[in-house]
Amino acid sequence: MSAARPVDRAALVAAALPALVFAGLLAAALGLLAATLPPEHRAQVWAAVEPNLAIVVMVWFFASLAAGVLVHKAWVRFAAAPGRLAERVRVLLSADPAAGATAPGQDDAGLALLDAGEGVSEDSIALTAAVAALALQRDALRREIGERIAEGSREVEQEKGRLAALMAELAQSVVVCNLDGRILLFNARARLQFRALLAAPAGAGATSPIGGAEPIGLGRSIYGVLDRRLVAHALEAVQQRLARGAAHPSAQFVTPTKSGQLLRVQLAPVKEPGPAPGTGSPPVLNGFVLMLENITQEMAEERARERLLHTLTEGSRGSIGNLQAAVELLEDPGLDAPTRERFLGVIREEIGALARRLDEAAAQSASALEQRWPLEDMLGSDFVAAAVRRLHGQGGLAAEAGSVDADLWLKVESYSLIQALLHLATRLVQAYDVPRVTLRLADAEHQGVRRAQLDLAFPVAAMSTETVVGWETEPLQSDEGEASGTLTLRDVVQRHGGAFWFERERARQEGRFRFLLPLAGVAGVAGGAGGAGEGAMLEASAVLRHDSRPEFYDFNLFAARAMQPGDALGEQLLADLSYTVFDTETTGLRPSEGDRIIQIGATRIVAARLRRQETFDQLVNPERELSEAGIAIHGIRPEMLQGQPRLAEVLPAFHDFAHDTVLVAHNAAFDMRFLQLAEAATGVRFEQPVLDTLLLSAVVHPKQDNHSLEAIAGRLGVTVLGRHTALGDAMVTAEVFMKLVPLLQGMGITTLGEALSASEETYLARLRY
């Protein structure tokens, strides 16, 4: 909806001034005549004027109108233009040359600083050219200073980058927070871990959250996903240990997640260097590091071991008692033969029961060990090359690589698998004096599942199946030909969830041992993919699909001031607040008549920086038809909304994304009306303050007629991209808002409360939907 054009009261007064002057002069003349002429002369004058009174009034009216138009044009030309010029100059003074908002050239200064077609005088154009020249000089000085600052801080940024890269490559989930719990760095592993733990049911893999919003983000509170009391208790314990002189204190706790997983959290302090100034006390904390591990599977395995131990102890207690009683009775020399045989049967039964329990315990233990077997991703060609290096020269054996699929990635424990190959090669040399072996690797399908097919080929020899079974079940031999422990080739194959057999190929005159091994990124092929403690498992391929560098880090948040208990939100500085800038696309423009939201897009501003990667973008099924007029604007067609979540599912996720921030929108009354009407159906209520760039533009530029998003962006040097998409408009609105903040500060509007009060006083604040 469009708003009425603002009334320039000064221009109206200037236009009405001639009429008031003429009316005053006429009234003064009449008063003078009334005071100086005798009554008979006044009557004569009135008799002469009365027939022409209409002509006198018309002359007065048209003279006043002509004079008013001339005065109004003069006002616009000589009085209003400097006001508009002042507004545009303030924009130039607050422009950031690093962001591309530099001053215009002198030749087009008149068009850049004043709107064309409004009677701009030559003096005003000359003045704008001078202002533009000064702005250009200012920009040049800024750029020079900026280059020097950038040169001086490059080394610091490199150190930050190294630290960030190091944390990104850690296999463990790591989150760094300031003392207020605001997240200032996290690695990709932590993001995926929290997504899996909080968004997925227990035992399921990670799924994409509604809107693409992550459970954690830069500048957001860690207390949105972890209990504040647990973290506070751990921090208190760390501070106590620091006070006692501990050099590297840490604390840990275990907490359940929404999906029923168990998370073990280790907390370590981030300390200011050196002791507190002038006190000799321990270093002052300015943040903490959280290292997180999902221990759901580990705890389940621990409970399974406890049950196994209980079965072995309590279940065997009765059998041992029966055995002891039977043995004591068998020692009786007078025991008859049938009774003796009966007791011997009892002994045999109890021994069999004990043997079965031991076998079951051994099988469960082997299964648990198999599940904990650490398998890692490895390029197949790298594995073959490593195996050839180990095999070559073993007992005079020549080893070579045959055909190898260079694109295959294996999921293996490479050391034990190479030991198995070495065991087979050693046995071939010892038993059959085989001169050479060849390793081949290919992609294959076995029982409907893709596997890696690894062949150890050698010149054919007369080999029995019993010999192969014996080699498969005996302990693996070391390089020196001695048994290296109890691990067998069969154990290695089973713990990879694979298969192994021997076959001959008469056409090639060769025999080969064939292994079927799991491929990286193929679900359900390895019995023990991953180590213990991964619960909602995160495959390596899921991590590799994301940039390994941390996507969010801002060490300046260490110094960010958090709101104190006694603070009022309205008294917070605009520069200190965190914002969620959002926009909606709807089925129409009448929320009270049944139009609904079909898309929500949002981004965040934290520590006075736009976080472009912190976004919320979600289509919404409105459960009603779309109008062709609306489709022409936003381009969202009905088929795009099929299968999308309903608003009742989307709004809680958006509410979590915007939690603990100030909302910002352009023409926010429109968007907020849709959210308010959805409160009853969704139970979601947005109670945080809302700033409107439409109103803030009217505060900063009261003499401008157009406050559309495009017009404001054009005045402030913001590039408009993705218009009429929710996320695209939210991004533009965020950039506009960041440009408006310094202009508001220049007017003395520095706090949230002052910005809200100033917005409410604008004529645009009367808009209702």
Side-chain angles (χ1 to χ4, degrees):
M1 294 180 64
S2 61
R5 179 171 174 160
V7 178
D8 191 338
R9 296 179 181 178
L12 289 179
V13 171
L17 185 61
L20 296 176
V21 171
F22 289 158
L25 291 175
L26 181 60
L30 292 176
L32 182 62
L33 289 175
T36 57
L37 291 178
E40 60 275 11
H41 290 174
R42 288 198 299 269
Q44 293 175 1
V45 171
W46 176 250
V49 171
E50 183 178 10
N52 302 305
L53 183 60
I55 297 174
V56 173
V57 172
M58 289 180 62
V59 170
W60 169 81
F61 175 76
F62 284 109
S64 300
L65 180 62
V69 170
L70 292 175
V71 171
H72 182 268
K73 289 187 174 181
W75 175 269
V76 171
R77 183 181 182 89
F78 300 107
R84 296 195 303 276
L85 173 63
E87 291 179 354
R88 305 305 296 271
V89 168
R90 284 198 293 270
V91 172
L92 286 177
L93 291 176
S94 64
D96 181 7
T102 55
Q106 298 183 43
D107 294 338
D108 60 352
L111 294 177
L113 294 177
L114 294 174
D115 295 329
E118 295 190 4
V120 181
S121 67
E122 294 181 2
D123 291 339
S124 295
I125 294 178
L127 178 59
T128 60
V131 171
L134 289 174
L136 288 172
Q137 293 178 7
R138 188 264 335 251
D139 290 348
L141 290 174
R142 278 186 174 181
R143 282 192 293 270
E144 182 180 353
I145 294 173
E147 290 171 359
R148 293 183 180 181
I149 293 174
E151 182 179 355
S153 61
R154 190 171 295 115
E155 184 176 346
V156 176
E157 292 300 323
Q158 288 175 349
E159 291 297 327
K160 289 181 179 180
R162 292 190 189 102
L163 175 60
L166 174 64
M167 292 191 62
E169 299 303 330
L170 290 176
Q172 193 171 22
S173 302
V174 179
V175 180
V176 182
C177 305
N178 64 12
L179 279 180
D180 301 306
R182 298 291 175 183
I183 299 172
L184 57 90
L185 185 148
F186 59 93
N187 59 359
R189 185 76 177 185
R191 180 188 61 190
L192 292 174
Q193 188 76 81
F194 273 112
R195 183 194 297 176
L197 289 172
L198 302 178
T207 57
S208 297
I210 289 180
E214 304 292 344
I216 59 174
L218 185 64
R220 296 169 71 177
S221 177
I222 192 65
Y223 304 128
V225 290
L226 294 179
D227 191 329
R228 180 189 296 268
R229 294 169 297 180
L230 290 174
V231 177
H233 179 74
L235 269 176
E236 182 181 0
V238 166
Q239 289 173 327
Q240 290 174 350
R241 293 168 191 167
L242 278 174
R244 291 196 296 266
H248 304 288
S250 65
Q252 68 178 22
F253 56 88
V254 175
T255 180
T257 67
K258 296 178 181 178
S259 61
Q261 305 289 308
L262 287 177
L263 197 64
R264 179 163 56 209
V265 182
Q266 184 175 0
L267 183 147
V270 177
K271 300 174 286 188
E272 292 283 358
T279 64
S281 59
V284 177
L285 299 187
N286 64 356
F288 53 88
V289 179
L290 299 175
M291 289 158 283
L292 310 109
E293 182 182 9
N294 184 353
I295 61 170
T296 307
Q297 182 177 341
E298 180 182 331
M299 297 299 292
E301 291 172 355
E302 181 64 28
R303 288 192 294 271
R305 285 193 294 270
E306 291 175 355
R307 287 195 298 269
L308 178 60
L309 179 61
H310 178 79
T311 301
L312 287 175
T313 55
E314 298 302 319
S316 301
R317 194 184 304 276
S319 296
I320 293 173
N322 291 337
L323 287 172
Q324 184 177 1
V327 169
E328 290 176 353
L329 290 172
L330 286 174
E331 292 176 350
D332 184 359
L335 195 64
D336 59 87
T339 305
R340 181 179 297 275
E341 185 59 33
R342 188 170 63 253
F343 282 122
L344 288 174
V346 170
I347 293 175
R348 284 191 290 270
E349 288 177 2
E350 295 298 343
I351 290 175
L354 281 173
R356 286 193 297 273
R357 276 193 289 270
L358 288 174
D359 289 342
E360 291 173 1
Q364 293 179 25
S365 178
S367 175
L369 182 61
E370 177 181 336
Q371 292 176 1
R372 294 196 302 273
W373 192 266
L375 305 184
E376 296 181 351
D377 294 354
M378 186 173 187
L379 187 62
S381 57
D382 290 346
F383 173 80
V384 171
V388 167
R389 286 195 298 270
R390 287 292 305 276
L391 296 178
H392 190 73
Q394 179 66 27
L397 182 70
E400 61 183 5
S403 59
V404 175
D405 189 334
D407 297 327
L408 280 185
W409 280 82
L410 309 178
K411 197 168 191 67
V412 296
E413 200 287 301
S414 57
Y415 178 79
S416 63
L417 191 56
I418 290 177
Q419 285 295 110
L421 293 172
L422 186 61
H423 168 75
L424 291 173
T426 301
R427 282 304 194 186
L428 286 171
V429 172
Q430 291 173 348
Y432 300 100
D433 198 22
V434 170
R436 70 179 185 278
V437 294
T438 303
L439 285 176
R440 305 189 189 103
L441 182 65
D443 192 357
E445 185 170 328
H446 182 70
Q447 297 180 352
V449 179
R450 285 185 60 224
R451 302 282 186 128
Q453 179 178 287
L454 176 66
D455 288 344
L456 178 67
F458 49 91
V460 68
M463 185 181 300
S464 66
T465 303
E466 290 76 10
T467 300
V468 176
V469 172
W471 292 357
E472 186 180 357
T473 55
E474 67 183 6
L476 296 182
Q477 292 189 3
S478 65
D479 296 3
E480 292 76 19
E482 299 178 355
S484 57
T486 60
L487 187 67
T488 67
L489 188 151
R490 181 173 293 177
D491 292 335
V492 173
V493 173
Q494 288 179 346
R495 291 171 183 178
H496 280 80
F500 168 81
W501 65 84
F502 168 73
E503 61 184 31
R504 295 185 183 90
E505 185 176 351
R506 300 187 183 280
R508 290 189 178 185
Q509 292 295 304
E510 72 172 19
R512 56 175 170 258
F513 294 117
R514 174 160 290 177
F515 294 81
L516 291 182
L517 301 170
L519 291 170
V522 178
V525 297
E534 286 301 317
M537 290 295 180
L538 301 175
E539 296 294 336
S541 58
V543 177
L544 294 174
R545 280 195 294 269
H546 299 79
D547 187 359
S548 61
R549 295 293 299 272
E551 294 172 304
F552 309 106
Y553 70 95
D554 187 351
F555 296 101
N556 294 325
L557 286 172
F558 269 129
R561 180 185 180 274
M563 186 173 176
Q564 303 302 317
D567 290 348
L569 184 59
E571 297 175 2
Q572 292 287 289
L573 295 176
L574 292 172
D576 291 344
L577 292 168
S578 296
Y579 303 92
T580 295
V581 188
F582 77 103
D583 184 65
T584 62
E585 296 297 335
T586 61
T587 58
L589 302 177
R590 296 177 175 85
S592 300
E593 298 179 14
D595 282 318
R596 296 182 182 178
I597 293 173
I598 58 174
Q599 187 180 31
I600 300 178
T603 187
R604 294 168 61 87
I605 298 174
V606 180
R609 291 175 60 186
L610 175 57
R611 312 296 176 174
R612 295 183 181 276
Q613 292 158 315
E614 279 277 323
T615 60
F616 185 97
D617 188 16
Q618 181 63 55
L619 292 171
V620 181
N621 185 353
E623 299 179 296
R624 60 162 290 173
E625 295 182 355
L626 304 183
S627 67
E628 289 298 329
I631 294 174
I633 295 175
H634 48 62
I636 299 174
R637 307 197 63 83
E639 57 268 20
M640 299 169 61
L641 302 178
Q642 293 179 0
Q644 298 295 336
R646 296 175 294 108
L647 190 62
E649 302 171 66
V650 175
L651 273 192
F654 177 59
H655 188 273
D656 290 342
F657 180 81
H659 176 69
D660 206 19
T661 64
V662 176
L663 293 177
V664 178
H666 185 77
N667 195 10
F670 178 79
D671 302 286
M672 292 304 298
R673 181 59 176 158
F674 279 93
L675 298 182
Q676 290 164 359
L677 290 175
E679 286 179 6
T682 64
V684 177
R685 186 171 185 176
F686 293 84
E687 298 180 329
Q688 56 261 67
V690 183
L691 288 175
D692 190 341
T693 53
L694 177 72
L695 305 185
L696 295 177
S697 175
V699 171
V700 172
H701 299 145
K703 300 183 183 300
Q704 301 297 324
D705 299 334
N706 192 345
H707 295 283
S708 67
L709 187 58
E710 292 92 340
I712 302 172
R715 285 197 293 269
L716 299 177
V718 174
T719 302
V720 177
L721 297 173
R723 189 72 173 100
H724 294 302
T725 64
L727 183 57
D729 285 354
M731 286 290 184
V732 175
T733 303
E735 293 194 47
V736 163
F737 176 73
M738 293 182 66
K739 297 279 189 179
L740 288 172
V741 169
L743 296 176
L744 291 168
Q745 293 171 337
M747 300 173 64
I749 301 173
T750 59
T751 67
L752 175 61
E754 292 168 347
L756 291 172
S757 297
S759 298
E760 292 171 359
E761 295 175 2
T762 65
Y763 68 96
L764 291 171
R766 294 173 295 176
L767 284 175
R768 295 292 183 270
Y769 295 92

